[in-house]
């Protein structure tokens, strides 16, 4: 399995800061207000960045990684809210595909999540990266790993009713605010990707209790997975 430079994205500081400790030969470039760190990690060339929260930030960041830094694959790491009732805080979701749950043109007859007039609204993760992420995750966390659909929207979900809808109507495993934008930008450019999310809360109204407490641990879990992936991508 061979890839060139790998783009590694997190939405928040906690989701990328652990990578800084292991990077060597780091140089910084700022574009569109985003700091990109070029260097090596386990002798693998990577570009690390914090996209910021939300789909626009994620899409802009991904396009810069592709156009300016020439990355040949993108790994997105971070936290998410569990939607699948079988998931609990600390569990891992590896994306099979991504969908924007807040793309809603149902008034014009399109199913929820459909981007009008586009060939697809579901963006599938790269098969090799997905399998590697699942393999590394299973070695680290055993049965606490699920491969599934990552739902994205510019909303922090904290309603049990909404969670139920996202699971039953859109078959989501988890919900967050960036993955589908990264996925679409990568797909439009023919760049392989995978989204790896660690559950920081259950998106069910208890987020005010769970999120702050578990974000740090969830970020560490996500880091360990990508750390293992980068070692095997050499």
């Amino acid at each position: 399995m061979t890839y060139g430079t790998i783009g590694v994205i997190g939405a928040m500081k906690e989701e990328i800061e652990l990578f800084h400790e292991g990077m060597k030969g780091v140089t910084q470039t700022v574009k569109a207000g985003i700091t990109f760190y070029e260097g090596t990690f386990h002798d693998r060339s990577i570009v690390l960045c914090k996209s910021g929260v939300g789909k626009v930030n994620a899409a802009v960041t991904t396009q810069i990684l592709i156009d300016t830094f020439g990355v040949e694959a993108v790994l997105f790491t971070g936290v998410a809210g569990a939607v699948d009732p079988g998931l609990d805080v600390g569990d891992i979701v590896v994306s099979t595909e991504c969908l924007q749950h807040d793309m809603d043109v149902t008034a014009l007859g399109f199913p929820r999540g459909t981007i009008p007039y586009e060939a697809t609204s579901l963006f599938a993760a790269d098969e090799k990266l997905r399998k590697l992420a699942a393999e590394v995750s299973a070695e680290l966390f055993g049965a606490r790993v699920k491969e599934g659909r990552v739902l994205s929207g510019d909303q922090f979900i904290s309603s049990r009713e909404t969670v139920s809808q996202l699971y039953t109507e859109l078959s989501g495993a988890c919900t967050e605010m960036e993955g589908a934008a990264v996925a679409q930008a990568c797909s439009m450019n023919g760049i392989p990707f995978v989204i790896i999310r660690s559950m920081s809360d259950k998106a069910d109204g208890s987020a005010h209790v769970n999120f702050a407490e578990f974000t740090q641990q969830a970020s560490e879990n996500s880091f360990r997975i990508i750390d293992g992936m980068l070692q095997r991508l050499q």
Side-chain angles (χ1 to χ4, degrees):
M1 186 183 305
T2 58
Y3 297 93
T5 300
I6 307 294
V8 178
I9 310 174
M12 301 184 298
K13 180 184 72 172
E14 294 88 346
E15 295 168 341
I16 69 165
E17 61 186 357
L18 290 172
F19 288 95
H20 287 290
E21 299 173 11
M23 287 185 72
K24 297 179 180 179
V26 178
T27 60
Q28 297 183 27
T29 303
V30 178
K31 290 186 72 70
I34 303 159
T35 303
F36 296 84
Y37 303 92
E38 295 178 85
T40 59
F41 192 90
H42 295 307
D43 297 321
R44 158 68 60 186
S45 176
I46 73 168
V47 183
L48 175 71
C49 57
K50 182 186 75 172
S51 65
V53 174
K55 293 188 298 180
V56 173
N57 280 328
V60 169
T61 299
T62 304
Q63 195 64 51
I64 292 173
L65 281 172
I66 295 167
D67 289 343
T68 301
F69 299 98
V71 301
E72 296 183 14
V74 172
L75 309 178
F76 196 105
T77 175
V79 301
V83 169
D84 186 322
L87 290 168
D88 206 345
V89 172
D91 289 352
I92 304 295
V93 171
V94 175
S95 67
T96 53
E97 57 195 6
C98 297
L99 177 75
Q100 296 180 60
H101 69 76
D102 63 348
M103 178 61 68
D104 188 347
V105 197
T106 53
L108 297 181
F110 294 93
R112 183 179 177 183
T114 298
I115 305 171
Y117 317 119
E118 294 292 332
T120 186
S121 302
L122 276 174
F123 303 98
D126 177 72
E127 190 73 3
K128 291 181 179 179
L129 291 177
R130 180 189 63 76
K131 287 182 177 179
L132 178 60
E135 176 183 304
V136 173
S137 299
E139 291 175 5
L140 290 169
F141 302 105
R144 301 190 68 183
V145 180
K146 180 179 181 63
E147 296 181 62
R149 179 178 294 178
V150 173
L151 302 179
S152 305
D154 289 323
Q155 303 167 357
F156 191 96
I157 305 299
S158 59
S159 158
R160 288 182 175 86
E161 181 181 357
T162 302
V163 167
S164 178
Q165 291 174 352
L166 294 178
Y167 180 65
T168 59
E169 296 179 17
L170 297 179
S171 303
C174 66
T175 181
E176 36 86 300
M177 301 175 73
E178 298 85 25
V182 172
Q184 184 173 354
C186 284
S187 295
M188 292 171 72
N189 288 276
I191 299 296
F193 75 90
V194 69
I195 311 298
I196 300 158
R197 292 291 193 175
S198 181
M199 302 302 102
S200 61
D201 62 272
K202 300 194 73 171
D204 61 358
S206 62
H208 66 287
V209 175
N210 292 343
F211 188 76
E213 180 179 353
F214 291 105
T215 290
Q216 188 63 45
Q217 182 59 54
S219 297
E220 292 174 7
N221 292 348
S222 296
F223 164 77
R224 291 175 64 194
I225 296 167
I226 290 189
D227 177 70
M229 291 178 67
L230 290 173
Q231 292 185 58
R232 300 187 192 193
L233 283 169
Q234 295 178 31

